[in-house]
Amino acid sequence: VQLQASGGGLVQPGGSLRLSCAASGSIISINVMGWYRQAPGKERELVATITSGGSTNYADSVKGRFTISRDNAKNTVYLQVNSLKAEDTAVYYCNADLNYYSDNRRYYGMDYWGKGTLVTVSS
């Protein structure tokens, strides 16, 4: 199982980006998908999560500016980030709590992380 994130880049304050993260491998289903971020010198923090049923949760700092969504058929989660601020600069990581099979066994509630994509907000 792998998670591959993309979509980061350099953007001016007030700008927008769309991050994507696709999960691949012998996946049975994905329970929760989410985005976390880690700014320089800071600990990793939750940005947003979304369940398989579409229920969402956001950090207070991004409410109203970021939107998380997912395509269950594609095992992909998206993060639309708008009205970006300098303090949004960070490496953004995707995360998935998923179920998969391997060697004729099924594994449930396994936690996987993508490698991260850098978002830099600067003029």
Side-chain angles (χ1 to χ4, degrees):
V1 175
Q2 290 186 334
L3 271 62
Q4 182 65 51
S6 61
L10 173 63
V11 62
Q12 292 185 343
S16 299
L17 285 172
R18 189 188 194 211
L19 309 183
S20 301
C21 177
S24 61
S26 301
I27 296 169
I28 300 170
S29 59
I30 303 178
N31 305 314
V32 181
M33 301 188 83
W35 289 94
Y36 293 72
R37 68 185 181 186
Q38 187 167 17
K42 296 187 176 181
E43 295 194 354
R44 191 174 298 188
E45 64 176 4
L46 168 73
V47 176
T49 61
I50 184 167
T51 68
S52 57
S55 296
T56 58
N57 179 54
Y58 294 92
D60 288 342
S61 59
V62 306
K63 283 181 180 177
R65 300 188 297 122
F66 291 11
T67 302
I68 190 170
S69 62
R70 64 190 278 178
D71 184 331
N72 291 330
K74 295 181 179 180
N75 289 334
T76 299
V77 63
Y78 306 96
L79 187 70
Q80 179 67 41
V81 297
N82 299 326
S83 303
L84 282 163
K85 307 174 182 179
E87 51 263 41
D88 294 317
T89 294
V91 177
Y92 284 69
Y93 297 91
C94 60
N95 173 267
D97 179 291
L98 57 82
N99 312 313
Y100 73 96
Y101 63 88
S102 176
D103 296 330
N104 294 318
R105 297 183 64 180
R106 294 174 180 250
Y107 298 84
Y108 295 95
M110 306 305 291
D111 192 56
Y112 278 84
W113 291 88
K115 288 187 176 180
T117 184
L118 176 62
V119 174
T120 303
V121 184
S122 176
S123 55

